[in-house]
Amino acid sequence: MVEEHFDVLTNSGEKTEVIWTIANVYVFPWKQSTSKVHRDGDYHRAVNVWIFVESTQELVLQRRSDDKDSWPGRWDISSAGHISAGDPSLISAQRELEEELGIKLPKDAFEKLFVFLQECVLNDGKFINNQFNDVYLVTVLHPIPLEAFTLQKEEVSAVKYIPYEEYRNLLAKKDPGYVPYDLNGYGKLFHIIRQRCQVNTEARSLSLQKQLQRYSPVTLEANLTELCEADQKALGLIMKAAKVIDDIFYEQLWHSNPALRDWLKEHADASELDKLKWKYFLINKSPWSSLDENEPYLSTADSAVKFIPEATKRIDGWKGIEYRAAFPVTKPPGANFYPPDMDKMEFTSWLSSLTEEQKRAATGFFSVIKRRSEANLDASLSDHLSDSNSDLYSIPYSEIYRPFLTKASELLQKAGDLVTSQSLKKLLHSKAEAFLSNDYYESDIAWMDLDSKLDITIGPYETYEDEIFGYKASFEAFIGIKDDKATADLKLFGDNLKLLEDNLPLDSVYKSKDVSAAPIRVIQLIYNSGDVNGPQTVAFNLPNDEKIVKERGTSMVMLKNVQEAKFEHILKPIAEIIISKEQRGFVDFESFFTHTICHECCHGIGPHSITLPDGRTSSVRKELQDVYSAVEEAKADIVGLWALMFLITKGLLSKSMEESMYVSFLAGCFRSIRFGLTEAHGKGQALQFNWLYEKGAFVFHEDSTFSVDFTKIEDAVESLSREILTIQGRGDKNAATLLLNKYCTITGPLKTALEKLESVKVPVDITPTFPLADALLN
């Protein structure tokens, strides 16, 4: 005797608060318990699992039991079943495959392809099926012997293999021996399989070459002669720690990402196509292309092969199943920080059941959310489980990444023992401790106080990869040599943050009261790792911890050689093509570099910790959630432009740069928008460009070039600054979403410009090599 529960959905697939509960169900419960759901036609969820054999291009079909309510005795999907209320889709897929066919596979064997809505009426209206099916594909290399299957006799009477094209033709003919499926919707399955089976190697190689050509190769290095022998030895250890950081980031993007990396590297010399796959993977660090709005450039057919000997019952002479480690076609918005099938409603419901301390851990920077049902929980994890009935639990980075962080900690500890700078010694030792304790406060303070020729940033910081809430920090490392002269020249900006805050175009009630001077360090980058996939970082403003920002402010690091490379290889060619001939001469490196400085400074001003209308204290990041990053990047950009003009009017910057800063900013818009509208900087830049164009501050000419209207630009910049700052001060996510939806689009003039840049093959970004790092690591 069991009890079954089903979530009732809306006709668009959203969960309602209705759950049907059926008690006293015997034998094979799901068939009987669904009677009410199918009688009333309630929308509900199910999983469809298809097994595809790569070597024979066949699908596994099951023959439905003669006792089934629907389509008895017909050939159907490899495995399928309903998703019980609160159950994860992936766990349901694993369970159904094991129950019906006796095949037990790990989660990385299941590739979620799409969701298919099946609507039909059978048995004279007695069976109404309104079902959202999560469609999964399991790719095995060779056929599983028929005798290896263990069939659930109440559900399945037989299994067979059939070529996928033959099966599609049978469905098209509505053969009475097969359960019918609408190929207008379900045809997507066959299209995906066909694409993988009919590979045009030449066309794929050409496509990857074009994608690689958007990145201009550059060499980044610096002079190490000012480092003593002990510091150079420490530098080698720090770079080894940074390599470990790279390993963590690969795993943070997707759970099977490290296996894919290792497989591509191992097979890179197999063919020219394999070499191109590996080169492009090294740039993106995942199978999704950053510059193509995270469209996949690889498929599971390119992925690692794994072997599992005990997935089925033992058969003499057969070793077991070889399968492809899967990854989804669509990049998971929560990366590997959350279960891939978790939605916001489930997370929010779980959060409401936690204590305040547990809530802070769950929404904090340094934890991963997992499912109890996916893990064999051992005693070491028991402290992280709440008494909640939810399937979710939180685990700190120091636990989930412990093997990596232990190694990195040991390397930083040894490096700290060697370095001569006391501030660097303190940073390395405190960061080594933070990796193991999960408390990064002291190490972030030490990073802000760093005053060393050898400049190190290492740890979990930015939250761009968490596109669900913007809570979780990705690991990254930046290693450089401090440029003392350039650093001294920039003291003006950090010293005037309080002046800028007090004069922001924002109601006083939203202004921050405690703004500290922000130290700015300029470095020559010699190595980076971790969260630097796709477009390269030119500067950063850290830490993101609101407590530290409130107490101490932030610090900025400018990567000068990266900015010089981007200006020469990208911004200058853009200006030659897109900026009107009369204003082209205004585009210069000083303006580009100076605005980047102000951009980073302006991350540290404006609303951070806020008071909501109901009196609760919160932060802009927590209120804006998934739209925070794009809005914050737009804020830093546009308020940075406002700040430059403000400093000019105060006589702190030369008036001679007024025209050049606006025109250089215009050219820079096209540089950032080309990163794509799924990336925070690209989104933020599209918002700014379209707002300024709407206000007449940017002018489009008949020859498809642009210019700045100097009579309108200042007011337009101030109006957008006020709009964004006010949204942040109110913590108004709805207003932020509306603003992004309206302005984050590729308008006609913008599309024309982007196509023009594409046609003449102006690089979108750079891909650096680090010869000094290679020498030290080897």
Side-chain angles (χ1 to χ4, degrees):
M1 184 183 297
V2 296
E3 188 176 80
E4 287 289 320
H5 310 267
F6 290 92
D7 284 315
V8 176
L9 311 181
T10 66
N11 60 6
S12 60
E14 301 296 319
K15 284 184 183 178
T16 67
E17 295 184 357
V18 179
I19 297 176
W20 282 122
T21 302
I22 316 294
N24 300 331
V25 180
Y26 294 88
V27 191
F28 43 103
W30 82 267
K31 173 188 167 185
Q32 304 235 356
S33 66
T34 55
S35 59
K36 179 170 178 54
V37 173
H38 286 139
R39 185 191 68 208
D40 295 345
D42 293 317
Y43 286 85
H44 57 285
R45 298 175 67 210
V47 290
N48 293 178
V49 182
W50 295 90
I51 299 176
F52 174 68
V53 184
E54 189 176 283
S55 60
T56 62
Q57 299 186 10
E58 294 176 312
L59 289 166
V60 173
L61 299 187
Q62 65 159 269
R63 186 177 180 277
R64 294 168 68 84
S65 166
D66 292 334
D67 296 325
K68 299 286 287 184
D69 286 344
S70 59
W71 312 116
R74 296 200 189 190
W75 292 100
D76 198 5
I77 299 163
S78 308
S79 174
H82 291 92
I83 301 175
S84 296
D87 275 5
S89 169
L90 178 57
I91 298 299
S92 299
Q94 289 177 285
R95 182 186 63 239
E96 292 299 331
L97 191 62
E98 184 177 5
E99 287 181 357
E100 293 188 355
L101 301 186
I103 300 175
K104 186 175 183 178
L105 291 173
K107 67 179 182 179
D108 68 348
F110 294 79
E111 176 186 3
K112 187 176 179 181
L113 298 180
F114 54 89
V115 178
F116 169 66
L117 174 58
Q118 187 178 15
E119 296 175 299
C120 63
V121 180
L122 305 171
N123 298 344
D124 298 323
K126 296 175 183 176
F127 188 97
I128 305 171
N129 193 32
N130 291 322
Q131 188 165 279
F132 285 91
N133 298 294
D134 289 351
V135 180
Y136 288 89
L137 187 69
V138 172
T139 302
V140 298
L141 267 62
H142 306 290
I144 302 166
L146 292 179
E147 58 268 30
F149 292 91
T150 301
L151 306 184
Q152 185 181 18
K153 63 181 181 179
E154 298 88 358
E155 302 290 326
V156 184
S157 60
V159 292
K160 72 173 182 177
Y161 291 96
I162 185 170
Y164 77 93
E165 286 286 15
E166 180 183 337
Y167 178 49
R168 187 192 181 284
N169 291 336
L170 289 168
L171 292 179
K173 295 174 183 176
K174 299 183 179 179
D175 188 291
Y178 296 81
V179 174
Y181 289 100
D182 179 7
L183 289 179
N184 290 326
Y186 225 118
K188 190 174 181 181
L189 168 72
F190 300 99
H191 175 69
I192 291 169
I193 293 175
R194 187 181 300 114
Q195 279 188 317
R196 296 180 185 181
C197 293
Q198 300 175 2
V199 177
N200 184 327
T201 301
E202 186 177 344
R204 273 198 81 185
S205 295
L206 184 61
S207 176
L208 282 168
Q209 285 170 357
K210 288 180 178 178
Q211 288 175 306
L212 281 162
Q213 286 169 0
R214 294 177 297 179
Y215 290 90
S216 179
V218 299
T219 298
L220 298 180
E221 50 191 340
N223 189 351
L224 300 185
T225 56
E226 292 187 53
L227 298 183
C228 67
E229 185 178 346
D231 286 348
Q232 290 196 33
K233 188 175 181 181
L235 178 57
L237 295 170
I238 295 166
M239 285 184 172
K240 288 179 180 178
K243 289 287 287 183
V244 177
I245 293 301
D246 225 22
D247 291 335
I248 298 175
F249 181 65
Y250 276 111
E251 189 164 308
Q252 287 186 305
L253 284 174
W254 181 246
H255 61 78
S256 62
N257 206 33
L260 175 61
R261 174 199 59 195
D262 296 344
W263 177 266
L264 293 174
K265 182 179 180 180
E266 182 183 343
H267 294 81
D269 295 329
S271 69
E272 181 62 26
L273 176 58
D274 289 305
K275 186 179 295 183
L276 292 170
K277 290 178 192 174
W278 175 236
K279 286 179 70 175
Y280 201 51
F281 183 85
L282 286 175
I283 291 173
N284 292 281
K285 299 187 178 181
S286 80
W288 304 286
S289 176
S290 297
L291 292 182
D292 297 298
E293 301 192 349
N294 291 320
E295 283 293 311
Y297 61 94
L298 300 173
S299 75
T300 294
D302 301 303
S303 191
V305 172
K306 291 190 173 183
F307 173 69
I308 181 165
E310 297 178 352
T312 66
K313 63 185 178 185
R314 289 185 176 275
I315 300 295
D316 290 341
W318 184 62
K319 294 181 179 179
I321 292 178
E322 287 183 288
Y323 69 91
R324 293 280 184 185
F327 53 84
V329 174
T330 302
K331 183 182 178 185
N336 199 25
F337 299 120
Y338 307 92
D341 53 359
M342 185 202 80
D343 57 30
K344 286 187 176 182
M345 180 184 291
E346 182 184 10
F347 183 86
T348 304
S349 175
W350 168 60
L351 209 61
S352 66
S353 71
L354 302 180
T355 65
E356 289 303 314
E357 183 179 353
Q358 289 169 335
K359 285 179 183 177
R360 284 193 294 272
T363 59
F365 292 115
F366 314 125
S367 66
V368 172
I369 309 304
K370 292 286 187 182
R371 290 197 181 280
R372 301 168 192 251
S373 51
E374 286 187 15
N376 294 317
L377 300 179
D378 57 41
S380 66
L381 302 183
S382 60
D383 291 342
H384 310 300
L385 300 177
S386 70
D387 294 330
S388 164
N389 291 324
S390 172
D391 192 35
L392 302 177
Y393 71 98
S394 165
I395 179 169
Y397 283 1
S398 56
E399 293 292 335
I400 197 147
Y401 304 127
R402 181 163 288 278
F404 296 116
L405 291 174
T406 298
K407 184 177 179 181
S409 176
E410 290 170 355
L411 289 165
L412 293 187
Q413 194 72 43
K414 291 176 182 177
D417 293 341
L418 290 172
V419 295
T420 54
S421 163
Q422 291 303 306
S423 65
L424 180 55
K425 186 183 293 288
K426 183 177 180 181
L427 169 63
L428 295 175
H429 284 162
S430 61
K431 191 65 73 174
E433 293 171 6
F435 283 167
L436 303 182
S437 69
N438 218 50
D439 183 353
Y440 286 86
Y441 181 86
E442 292 298 333
S443 67
D444 282 344
I445 295 295
W447 178 83
M448 295 183 71
D449 293 337
L450 182 62
D451 184 11
S452 167
K453 193 68 181 175
L454 184 55
D455 197 280
I456 309 297
T457 301
I458 187 167
Y461 285 108
E462 304 290 10
T463 62
Y464 301 124
E465 293 297 335
D466 178 0
E467 296 175 15
I468 298 181
F469 294 111
Y471 291 158
K472 306 304 175 187
S474 299
F475 278 84
E476 62 186 16
F478 294 89
I479 301 171
I481 304 299
K482 185 178 176 184
D483 185 328
D484 293 313
K485 182 181 183 304
T487 297
D489 291 344
L490 299 184
K491 194 171 183 296
L492 159 76
F493 296 96
D495 288 348
N496 283 285
L497 281 190
K498 184 70 169 68
L499 178 65
L500 292 172
E501 178 74 40
D502 290 344
N503 289 276
L504 283 174
L506 175 69
D507 290 348
S508 296
V509 68
Y510 299 126
K511 292 181 181 178
S512 299
K513 303 298 185 289
D514 304 311
V515 174
S516 306
I520 303 175
R521 310 195 296 265
V522 181
I523 68 171
Q524 302 292 340
L525 184 70
I526 58 174
Y527 189 64
N528 64 18
S529 68
D531 189 11
V532 280
N533 53 324
Q536 292 290 304
T537 301
V538 297
F540 47 87
N541 183 306
L542 298 172
N544 290 319
D545 186 332
E546 283 87 2
K547 179 183 177 184
I548 298 178
V549 172
K550 187 174 182 179
E551 293 174 357
R552 291 282 305 271
T554 58
S555 289
M556 282 158 273
V557 176
M558 317 297 295
L559 313 180
K560 191 172 184 182
N561 54 348
V562 176
Q563 294 185 43
E564 289 169 338
K566 292 203 180 198
F567 182 79
E568 288 297 323
H569 290 266
I570 300 162
L571 202 66
K572 280 176 68 175
I574 285 176
E576 288 297 317
I577 295 166
I578 298 300
I579 304 302
S580 67
K581 187 176 181 180
E582 295 75 18
Q583 292 190 357
R584 209 168 285 161
F586 287 127
V587 178
D588 61 23
F589 177 72
E590 182 185 358
S591 297
F592 172 62
F593 184 58
T594 306
H595 176 257
T596 305
I597 296 163
C598 263
H599 169 106
E600 296 304 329
C601 283
C602 290
H603 277 306
I605 62 176
H608 288 279
S609 296
I610 58 175
T611 302
L612 300 175
D614 61 6
R616 289 184 297 116
T617 58
S618 186
S619 67
V620 178
R621 181 186 299 275
K622 287 195 173 175
E623 293 307 312
L624 298 194
Q625 296 181 346
D626 53 308
V627 299
Y628 169 79
S629 292
V631 172
E632 176 61 21
E633 290 304 327
K635 181 264 277 191
D637 242 7
I638 200 69
V639 176
L641 198 57
W642 167 87
L644 285 177
M645 192 62 216
F646 178 82
L647 293 172
I648 289 171
T649 61
K650 294 296 180 182
L652 296 170
L653 289 176
S654 172
K655 188 170 177 58
S656 64
M657 73 176 295
E658 184 175 338
E659 290 87 357
S660 62
M661 75 179 189
Y662 286 130
V663 181
S664 296
F665 177 83
L666 170 59
C669 286
F670 300 101
R671 181 184 72 87
S672 298
I673 291 171
R674 294 176 82 203
F675 295 161
L677 298 191
T678 60
E679 194 270 345
H681 299 81
K683 275 185 183 177
Q685 199 72 72
L687 161 59
Q688 295 166 82
F689 176 88
N690 288 322
W691 178 286
L692 297 177
Y693 180 76
E694 181 182 84
K695 304 298 182 188
F698 291 160
V699 180
F700 184 56
H701 302 287
E702 290 183 357
D703 61 354
S704 298
T705 62
F706 288 83
S707 65
V708 175
D709 186 332
F710 296 120
T711 66
K712 296 179 179 178
I713 184 72
E714 188 175 346
D715 287 344
V717 167
E718 182 168 326
S719 67
L720 180 55
S721 298
R722 181 181 296 278
E723 180 79 11
I724 294 176
L725 288 166
T726 302
I727 286 172
Q728 289 189 320
R730 292 172 177 168
D732 191 342
K733 184 181 179 183
N734 287 336
T737 302
L738 289 171
L739 186 69
L740 290 170
N741 288 344
K742 180 178 179 180
Y743 289 100
C744 286
T745 60
I746 302 298
T747 54
L750 193 49
K751 183 180 179 183
T752 299
L754 295 177
E755 288 175 348
K756 196 174 179 182
L757 292 172
E758 181 69 23
S759 67
V760 296
K761 293 182 169 52
V762 174
V764 178
D765 208 68
I766 61 172
T767 178
T769 55
F770 303 106
L772 288 173
D774 292 340
L776 283 168
L777 287 168
N778 293 329

